[in-house]
Amino acid sequence: MTKQWVVYLSGEIHSDWRERIQTGAQVADLNVEFVAPITDHAKSDDCGASILGAEDNSFWHDKKASGINAIRTRTAIERADIVVVRFGDQYRQWNAAFDAGYAVAKGKSIITLHEPELNHALKEIDGAANAACQTPEQVVAILGYVMGGG
Amino acid sequence: MTKQWVVYLSGEIHSDWRERIQTGAQVADLNVEFVAPITDHAKSDDCGASILGAEDNSFWHDKKASGINAIRTRTAIERADIVVVRFGDQYRQWNAAFDAGYAVAKGKSIITLHEPELNHALKEIDGAANAACQTPEQVVAILGYVMGGG
Amino acid sequence: MTKQWVVYLSGEIHSDWRERIQTGAQVADLNVEFVAPITDHAKSDDCGASILGAEDNSFWHDKKASGINAIRTRTAIERADIVVVRFGDQYRQWNAAFDAGYAVAKGKSIITLHEPELNHALKEIDGAANAACQTPEQVVAILGYVMGGG
Amino acid sequence: MTKQWVVYLSGEIHSDWRERIQTGAQVADLNVEFVAPITDHAKSDDCGASILGAEDNSFWHDKKASGINAIRTRTAIERADIVVVRFGDQYRQWNAAFDAGYAVAKGKSIITLHEPELNHALKEIDGAANAACQTPEQVVAILGYVMGGG
Amino acid sequence: MTKQWVVYLSGEIHSDWRERIQTGAQVADLNVEFVAPITDHAKSDDCGASILGAEDNSFWHDKKASGINAIRTRTAIERADIVVVRFGDQYRQWNAAFDAGYAVAKGKSIITLHEPELNHALKEIDGAANAACQTPEQVVAILGYVMGGG
Amino acid sequence: MTKQWVVYLSGEIHSDWRERIQTGAQVADLNVEFVAPITDHAKSDDCGASILGAEDNSFWHDKKASGINAIRTRTAIERADIVVVRFGDQYRQWNAAFDAGYAVAKGKSIITLHEPELNHALKEIDGAANAACQTPEQVVAILGYVMGGG
Amino acid sequence: MTKQWVVYLSGEIHSDWRERIQTGAQVADLNVEFVAPITDHAKSDDCGASILGAEDNSFWHDKKASGINAIRTRTAIERADIVVVRFGDQYRQWNAAFDAGYAVAKGKSIITLHEPELNHALKEIDGAANAACQTPEQVVAILGYVMGGG
Amino acid sequence: MTKQWVVYLSGEIHSDWRERIQTGAQVADLNVEFVAPITDHAKSDDCGASILGAEDNSFWHDKKASGINAIRTRTAIERADIVVVRFGDQYRQWNAAFDAGYAVAKGKSIITLHEPELNHALKEIDGAANAACQTPEQVVAILGYVMGGG
């Protein structure tokens, strides 16, 4: 399976897990295109207001942003073979769980990435996933295995 | 639109929001079948182990339960015209966010129900929803409106 | 084909075309459930604000309403075998054209209903329709024909 | 997300909005393939008659044209990641609204482009859109944001 | 499988094959709803002109009729569990072959019904069918078997 | 979830597992319609030849039968909410594994039923299943749980 | 729309219509990949027997061939943007009508190609087509128009 | 049809059938990308444990592996035009039968490959296949025929 795979990296934006996966895949010489949401927190929150005009009400400020971010997210999931969903311990990351549900309904393969402390809270999503990882390196190992020759 | 509608009530299981919606719909004489996950917390957590046998490892204990609960959840979403997703303030309810993503991908209408304090954290899910409510009575009012004559 | 058909009546809300179709179908003893958007103009425009709270900005006033009305519209189209799309001469009725496009993509049969003066402006929608009618009575005649024995 | 995106530009053909978007995307060095309907008004209206033979009846003249134009439109929407729908103030552009409905049902992201005067008349389509723009430059900014790194 | 099955009887309208199947199913007490196109040849040909107005050009006369007949045909195939496609020896019945292709793409089960003389000409359609019958009684026997207990 | 569920019982036909599940569901007063393939082995093998005529070549004898049996199987899976797949120890039951793959691709919930000795050989199918049972009584318990209140 | 289009040429194999379309497209410098069934009549009829072994019974001889030919046909339709369906006057070409029905159900654009003498017999297929042509040159003109700039 | 075809080779991993097909296709200069599951038996069985950690219970050892292997399998089937399913005489290969069912439901073309001794046991899968082969060389011949010019 030498053709390029597309892997969408959904979820937490405050740690270096994406870089560790991307670096690991590069070291392992895997033919992957990684896609991701916009990970600049401020830009992601304010994209609607900065492009389409400011809103007094924070609900509509957020609505404008979420509509635009969804263009990127949905397109990325549609293109992806695999969706990796990362849950950190600081934020609720409901959007990552939403992405996971959306991706499962679209028939995509799912890999979760989180600490074992979150196992119980994430049991439905782990239950729908192909694999539940604790480290980015495990994700890279899975990519290497499924894309490679063994 | 006099035929019965099916409404799936996803999310928080520790408050009386489902009862308030169901009572309100009954008072308003709406022709709705409400469906829901198993809301007995202990039974929901232990259904796998109690039916299929105990597990030492809590991860597999949860896996057995989530597989069985998914039978009910997926069937309910498949049958539903509308999915109401409730987020409380105490738990992360990633499964509710997962249900929302799954339901959106299946083309279902979504209504969220949560306190305004959660607006920012839930902006992607509210962004994909048809309506964001703060009280069960608002949900009932929407059901009455869309099913009725006004 | 004695089972009930579902027919969605989309579009203009300021004339009696729906009543004429429904009365005609009743006279012809056709087994049809007719579904429709909320046709009370004020209620349809204000449903969002009246249920979920007022908005200063008319754009968000409309956004709240359109989200709720879409619950009814999408559910109705999903259930329908046939979508009748009515264009009057006074309003632009872009929502009727939107419904027509949505319904065609979902594989529904389409019947348009409009004056011949609109033929050229509606050529793409007539082109995608199974039949282009000028009177409600023609719509009834088509329903009688396709549901009946001739 | 370095791969090429496909953006379909639907609607008004009597102003330079397409050129402004395309020029803006070029200046911003975005990797987009823009697709569009045939925008030569006369050719678009007469393609059926000129290729397949003239018709006395203008309804059939239009039918022949709309069938052929639909080949291009449907193929373009099918290929598109994003559909931009432009409404001007002079024509009814029901075909643009039809395209929008069709694209939403196919799961495409939608961006509308129109003057605020049309907000109320377009509320259902804006309600289904990811973003509602007033200038072509805003569309370009959204493309730059969702395709880029921020 | 005691619930009602829906069987669409497509094709030839100049022999009594539909009656023989329906009578046979009644004798065998099978719980089937049979659906069919309009089998009154003149009405089927002229439904467009008689409802929507006459056409000088026979091509458009036919176009009006085929659009209306397709409402019935597509709805019937959509509802059907099984599509029986009958080919007689006198006419080309391209519409029956079209129905068969449409039904296969929609995942319906197909039973063909024709004389062995047509085997070679119909090899692609027989190849896509679940069973190729020569008599209406064989069709009834298959219905009795698949619906019953043996 | 008081509406009837449909459960398809696929696989082994030489033991009483179907009866045990059906009796158990009746005792538990579950609102289920059970559907199944024709379980009379001889009739199932010979249905093609007996209805459509004998074949010298056993491959075509089987082909005629499998086409007819597939009408029942596909219709049953299409209607089912849950597919229970039973593997016994005597036969290979590739058709049951085929049904499982077909049902998973159609988004159905899967329950497997087999002895633990077969765990390793069935690991891919168990991996795609919501639950892996060893006794019919466990299947009944799962049905009671997912359909009921706990 | 500068990317390559895929056009499937279905139907009659005893005249030079494919060559005329392909030559015309080449002259017009259109970026099309044309796909087609195997048009060597004897090879197409005998491919099953020659690869998989001879059959005494012509029905099974044909069955073997139609299964193999369907691999090519279905793959080609799946890839195609447009399906051109040619009906000649000598054969019944039910397979072309079957392809047309299959392609319509898959959402492909359809162009028919036949003499006006066949108009009435082909009215259902013409009714589902985007354009009905009488000459290969008209097909080329349509391709040039929908792919080009006008 | 000069573009590359994708062929997934599912099933038996203890004989050289894949090599024979691949070599044959190379000799015939066919433009095919062959994809396959991981065929190193030990690695395939242990991939879950070796990447994600050991399990005492062999059921969960297998569960971890099957989830990861399914990422590769599902992606491969999704990409494939044709799925070749090989059944040997030593193992039950239920996963191959599962792949076949999954692929048929996804609309893929199927070619089976097995000894005639297995004909009766595999009759449902052969019944759903486009061709049933006994040698890898027959598979190559079919690929050459459907991809080539005859």
Side-chain angles (χ1 to χ4, degrees):
Chain A
M1 302 190 68
T2 56
K3 283 197 188 146
Q4 193 178 52
W5 289 54
V6 178
V7 177
Y8 181 63
L9 303 173
S10 173
E12 193 199 12
I13 59 175
H14 298 98
S15 74
D16 65 347
W17 69 278
R18 280 189 187 81
E19 289 66 32
R20 285 167 63 188
I21 290 175
Q22 287 170 301
T23 303
Q26 208 169 8
V27 169
D29 201 25
L30 302 179
N31 186 14
V32 184
E33 184 197 11
F34 288 103
V35 291
I38 297 296
T39 55
D40 179 319
H41 196 154
K43 281 190 178 167
S44 170
D45 274 4
D46 300 335
C47 65
S50 70
I51 296 174
L52 299 173
E55 293 292 328
D56 293 335
N57 184 328
S58 66
F59 182 80
W60 299 120
H61 176 96
D62 286 343
K63 185 87 169 182
K64 278 180 163 174
S66 68
I68 292 174
N69 283 312
I71 296 175
R72 184 175 171 105
T73 307
R74 303 285 169 84
T75 303
I77 294 177
E78 204 67 54
R79 292 181 181 184
D81 300 297
I82 300 173
V83 175
V84 180
V85 194
R86 163 70 185 165
F87 295 92
D89 53 0
Q90 286 192 288
Y91 295 89
R92 299 198 194 213
Q93 281 135 348
W94 279 316
N95 59 323
F98 181 89
D99 281 357
Y102 190 91
V104 165
K106 291 286 184 189
K108 306 296 178 180
S109 295
I110 306 290
I111 298 172
T112 60
L113 174 60
H114 59 83
E115 296 296 318
E117 286 70 27
L118 298 179
N119 278 358
H120 187 63
L122 284 165
K123 65 183 186 296
E124 286 86 4
I125 300 177
D126 282 347
N130 290 72
C133 295
Q134 298 177 19
T135 69
E137 287 66 36
Q138 288 176 321
V139 176
V140 174
I142 289 174
L143 296 180
Y145 173 79
V146 300
M147 293 175 64
Chain B
M1 301 190 66
T2 55
K3 283 196 189 147
Q4 194 179 51
W5 290 54
V6 178
V7 177
Y8 180 63
L9 303 173
S10 172
E12 193 200 11
I13 59 174
H14 298 98
S15 73
D16 65 348
W17 68 278
R18 280 190 186 82
E19 288 67 31
R20 285 167 65 188
I21 290 175
Q22 287 170 302
T23 303
Q26 207 169 9
V27 168
D29 202 24
L30 302 179
N31 186 13
V32 185
E33 185 198 10
F34 288 103
V35 291
I38 296 296
T39 55
D40 179 320
H41 196 153
K43 281 190 177 167
S44 171
D45 274 6
D46 300 334
C47 65
S50 70
I51 296 174
L52 298 173
E55 292 291 331
D56 293 335
N57 184 329
S58 66
F59 182 81
W60 300 120
H61 175 96
D62 286 343
K63 184 86 169 184
K64 278 180 163 175
S66 69
I68 292 174
N69 283 313
I71 296 175
R72 183 175 171 104
T73 306
R74 304 286 168 84
T75 303
I77 294 177
E78 203 68 53
R79 292 180 181 187
D81 299 297
I82 301 173
V83 175
V84 180
V85 194
R86 163 69 184 165
F87 295 92
D89 53 0
Q90 286 193 287
Y91 294 88
R92 301 198 192 212
Q93 280 134 348
W94 280 316
N95 59 323
F98 181 89
D99 281 358
Y102 190 90
V104 166
K106 291 286 184 188
K108 306 296 178 180
S109 295
I110 306 289
I111 298 172
T112 59
L113 174 61
H114 59 81
E115 296 296 318
E117 287 72 27
L118 298 179
N119 277 358
H120 187 63
L122 284 165
K123 65 182 187 297
E124 286 86 3
I125 300 178
D126 282 347
N130 290 72
C133 296
Q134 298 177 19
T135 69
E137 287 66 36
Q138 288 176 321
V139 176
V140 174
I142 290 174
L143 295 181
Y145 174 79
V146 299
M147 294 175 63
Chain C
M1 300 190 66
T2 56
K3 284 197 187 145
Q4 194 179 51
W5 290 54
V6 178
V7 176
Y8 181 63
L9 303 173
S10 172
E12 194 200 12
I13 60 174
H14 298 98
S15 74
D16 65 347
W17 69 278
R18 281 190 186 80
E19 288 67 31
R20 284 167 65 188
I21 290 175
Q22 286 170 302
T23 303
Q26 208 170 7
V27 169
D29 201 24
L30 302 179
N31 186 14
V32 185
E33 185 198 10
F34 288 103
V35 292
I38 297 296
T39 55
D40 180 319
H41 196 153
K43 282 191 177 166
S44 170
D45 273 5
D46 300 335
C47 65
S50 70
I51 296 175
L52 299 173
E55 292 292 329
D56 293 335
N57 184 328
S58 66
F59 182 81
W60 300 120
H61 176 96
D62 285 343
K63 184 86 169 184
K64 278 180 164 174
S66 68
I68 291 174
N69 283 313
I71 296 174
R72 183 175 171 105
T73 306
R74 303 286 168 84
T75 303
I77 294 177
E78 203 66 55
R79 291 181 182 184
D81 300 297
I82 300 173
V83 176
V84 180
V85 194
R86 163 69 184 165
F87 296 91
D89 52 1
Q90 287 193 286
Y91 295 89
R92 300 199 193 212
Q93 281 135 349
W94 279 316
N95 59 324
F98 181 88
D99 281 357
Y102 190 90
V104 165
K106 293 285 185 189
K108 306 296 178 180
S109 295
I110 306 290
I111 298 171
T112 59
L113 174 60
H114 59 81
E115 296 296 317
E117 286 71 28
L118 299 178
N119 277 358
H120 187 63
L122 284 165
K123 66 183 186 295
E124 286 85 4
I125 300 177
D126 283 347
N130 290 73
C133 295
Q134 298 177 19
T135 69
E137 287 66 37
Q138 288 176 322
V139 176
V140 174
I142 290 175
L143 295 181
Y145 173 79
V146 299
M147 293 176 64
Chain D
M1 301 188 66
T2 55
K3 283 196 188 147
Q4 194 179 52
W5 291 53
V6 178
V7 177
Y8 180 63
L9 303 173
S10 172
E12 193 199 13
I13 60 174
H14 299 99
S15 74
D16 65 347
W17 69 279
R18 280 190 186 82
E19 287 68 31
R20 286 167 63 188
I21 290 175
Q22 287 170 302
T23 303
Q26 207 170 7
V27 168
D29 202 23
L30 302 179
N31 186 13
V32 185
E33 184 197 11
F34 289 102
V35 291
I38 296 296
T39 55
D40 180 321
H41 196 153
K43 281 191 177 167
S44 171
D45 275 5
D46 300 334
C47 65
S50 70
I51 296 175
L52 299 174
E55 292 291 330
D56 292 335
N57 184 330
S58 67
F59 183 81
W60 300 121
H61 175 97
D62 285 343
K63 184 85 170 183
K64 279 180 163 174
S66 69
I68 292 174
N69 283 313
I71 296 174
R72 183 173 171 105
T73 306
R74 304 284 168 85
T75 302
I77 294 177
E78 203 67 54
R79 293 181 180 184
D81 299 297
I82 300 173
V83 175
V84 180
V85 193
R86 164 68 183 165
F87 295 92
D89 52 1
Q90 286 194 287
Y91 294 89
R92 301 198 192 212
Q93 280 133 352
W94 279 316
N95 59 322
F98 182 89
D99 281 357
Y102 190 91
V104 165
K106 292 286 184 189
K108 306 296 178 179
S109 295
I110 306 290
I111 298 171
T112 59
L113 174 60
H114 58 83
E115 296 297 316
E117 287 71 29
L118 298 179
N119 278 357
H120 187 63
L122 284 165
K123 65 183 188 296
E124 287 86 4
I125 300 178
D126 282 347
N130 290 72
C133 296
Q134 298 176 18
T135 68
E137 288 66 37
Q138 289 176 321
V139 176
V140 174
I142 289 174
L143 296 181
Y145 174 79
V146 299
M147 294 176 63
Chain E
M1 302 191 67
T2 56
K3 284 195 188 147
Q4 194 178 52
W5 290 54
V6 178
V7 177
Y8 181 62
L9 303 174
S10 172
E12 193 200 12
I13 59 173
H14 297 98
S15 73
D16 66 348
W17 68 278
R18 281 190 185 81
E19 288 67 30
R20 286 167 63 187
I21 289 175
Q22 287 171 303
T23 302
Q26 207 170 8
V27 169
D29 202 24
L30 302 179
N31 185 13
V32 185
E33 185 198 10
F34 288 102
V35 291
I38 297 297
T39 55
D40 179 318
H41 196 153
K43 281 190 178 167
S44 171
D45 274 5
D46 299 336
C47 65
S50 69
I51 297 174
L52 299 173
E55 292 291 331
D56 293 336
N57 184 328
S58 67
F59 182 81
W60 300 119
H61 176 96
D62 286 342
K63 185 86 169 183
K64 279 180 162 175
S66 68
I68 291 175
N69 283 313
I71 296 175
R72 183 175 171 106
T73 306
R74 302 285 168 86
T75 302
I77 294 178
E78 204 67 55
R79 293 180 180 186
D81 300 296
I82 300 172
V83 175
V84 180
V85 194
R86 163 70 184 165
F87 295 91
D89 52 0
Q90 287 192 286
Y91 294 89
R92 301 199 193 210
Q93 280 136 349
W94 279 316
N95 60 323
F98 181 89
D99 281 357
Y102 190 90
V104 165
K106 292 286 184 188
K108 307 296 179 179
S109 295
I110 305 290
I111 298 172
T112 59
L113 174 60
H114 59 82
E115 297 296 318
E117 285 72 28
L118 299 179
N119 278 358
H120 187 63
L122 284 165
K123 66 183 186 297
E124 286 86 4
I125 300 178
D126 283 346
N130 290 73
C133 295
Q134 298 177 18
T135 69
E137 288 65 37
Q138 288 176 321
V139 176
V140 174
I142 290 174
L143 296 180
Y145 173 79
V146 298
M147 295 176 64
Chain F
M1 302 191 67
T2 56
K3 283 195 189 147
Q4 194 179 52
W5 290 54
V6 178
V7 177
Y8 180 62
L9 303 173
S10 172
E12 193 199 13
I13 60 174
H14 298 99
S15 73
D16 66 348
W17 69 278
R18 281 190 186 82
E19 288 68 30
R20 285 167 64 187
I21 290 176
Q22 286 170 303
T23 302
Q26 207 170 9
V27 169
D29 202 23
L30 302 178
N31 185 13
V32 185
E33 184 197 11
F34 288 103
V35 291
I38 296 297
T39 55
D40 179 320
H41 197 152
K43 281 190 178 168
S44 171
D45 274 5
D46 299 335
C47 65
S50 70
I51 297 175
L52 299 173
E55 291 291 330
D56 293 335
N57 183 329
S58 66
F59 182 80
W60 299 120
H61 175 96
D62 286 342
K63 185 86 169 183
K64 279 181 162 174
S66 69
I68 292 174
N69 283 312
I71 296 175
R72 183 174 171 106
T73 306
R74 302 286 168 85
T75 302
I77 294 177
E78 204 67 54
R79 293 180 180 185
D81 300 297
I82 300 172
V83 175
V84 180
V85 193
R86 163 69 184 165
F87 295 92
D89 52 0
Q90 286 193 286
Y91 294 89
R92 301 199 191 210
Q93 279 134 351
W94 279 316
N95 59 323
F98 181 89
D99 281 358
Y102 190 91
V104 165
K106 291 286 183 189
K108 306 297 177 179
S109 295
I110 306 290
I111 299 172
T112 59
L113 173 61
H114 59 82
E115 296 297 317
E117 285 72 27
L118 299 179
N119 278 358
H120 187 63
L122 284 164
K123 66 182 186 297
E124 286 85 4
I125 300 177
D126 282 347
N130 289 72
C133 296
Q134 298 176 18
T135 69
E137 287 66 36
Q138 289 176 321
V139 176
V140 174
I142 289 174
L143 295 181
Y145 173 80
V146 299
M147 294 176 64
Chain G
M1 301 191 67
T2 56
K3 283 194 188 149
Q4 193 179 53
W5 291 53
V6 178
V7 177
Y8 180 62
L9 303 173
S10 173
E12 193 200 12
I13 59 173
H14 298 98
S15 73
D16 66 348
W17 68 279
R18 282 190 185 80
E19 288 67 30
R20 285 167 64 187
I21 290 176
Q22 287 170 301
T23 302
Q26 207 170 7
V27 169
D29 201 24
L30 302 178
N31 185 13
V32 185
E33 184 197 10
F34 289 102
V35 291
I38 296 296
T39 54
D40 179 319
H41 197 152
K43 282 191 177 166
S44 171
D45 274 4
D46 300 334
C47 65
S50 71
I51 296 175
L52 299 173
E55 292 292 329
D56 293 337
N57 183 330
S58 66
F59 182 80
W60 300 119
H61 176 96
D62 285 343
K63 184 86 169 184
K64 279 180 163 174
S66 69
I68 292 174
N69 283 313
I71 296 175
R72 183 175 172 105
T73 307
R74 303 285 168 85
T75 303
I77 294 178
E78 203 68 53
R79 292 180 181 184
D81 300 296
I82 300 172
V83 175
V84 180
V85 194
R86 163 70 184 165
F87 295 92
D89 52 0
Q90 286 193 287
Y91 294 89
R92 302 200 191 210
Q93 279 134 351
W94 279 317
N95 60 322
F98 182 89
D99 281 357
Y102 190 91
V104 166
K106 292 285 184 189
K108 306 297 178 180
S109 295
I110 306 291
I111 298 172
T112 59
L113 175 59
H114 58 83
E115 296 296 317
E117 285 72 27
L118 298 179
N119 277 358
H120 187 63
L122 284 165
K123 66 181 185 297
E124 286 85 4
I125 301 177
D126 282 347
N130 291 72
C133 295
Q134 298 176 19
T135 69
E137 287 66 36
Q138 289 176 321
V139 176
V140 175
I142 290 175
L143 296 180
Y145 173 79
V146 298
M147 294 175 63
Chain H
M1 301 191 66
T2 55
K3 283 195 188 148
Q4 193 178 52
W5 290 55
V6 178
V7 177
Y8 181 61
L9 303 174
S10 173
E12 193 199 12
I13 60 174
H14 298 98
S15 74
D16 65 348
W17 69 278
R18 280 189 187 81
E19 288 67 32
R20 286 167 63 187
I21 290 175
Q22 287 171 301
T23 303
Q26 207 169 7
V27 168
D29 201 24
L30 302 178
N31 185 13
V32 185
E33 185 198 10
F34 289 102
V35 291
I38 297 297
T39 54
D40 179 319
H41 196 154
K43 282 190 177 168
S44 171
D45 274 4
D46 300 335
C47 65
S50 69
I51 296 175
L52 299 172
E55 292 291 330
D56 292 336
N57 184 328
S58 65
F59 182 80
W60 300 119
H61 176 96
D62 285 344
K63 185 85 169 184
K64 278 180 163 175
S66 69
I68 292 174
N69 283 312
I71 296 174
R72 183 174 171 106
T73 306
R74 303 286 168 86
T75 303
I77 294 178
E78 204 67 54
R79 292 181 181 183
D81 299 298
I82 300 173
V83 176
V84 180
V85 194
R86 163 69 184 165
F87 295 92
D89 52 0
Q90 286 194 287
Y91 294 89
R92 300 198 193 211
Q93 280 136 348
W94 279 316
N95 60 323
F98 182 89
D99 281 357
Y102 190 91
V104 165
K106 292 286 184 188
K108 306 296 178 180
S109 296
I110 306 290
I111 298 171
T112 59
L113 175 59
H114 59 81
E115 296 296 317
E117 285 72 28
L118 299 178
N119 277 358
H120 187 63
L122 284 165
K123 66 182 185 297
E124 286 86 3
I125 301 177
D126 282 346
N130 290 72
C133 295
Q134 298 178 18
T135 69
E137 287 66 37
Q138 288 176 321
V139 176
V140 174
I142 290 174
L143 295 180
Y145 174 79
V146 298
M147 295 176 62

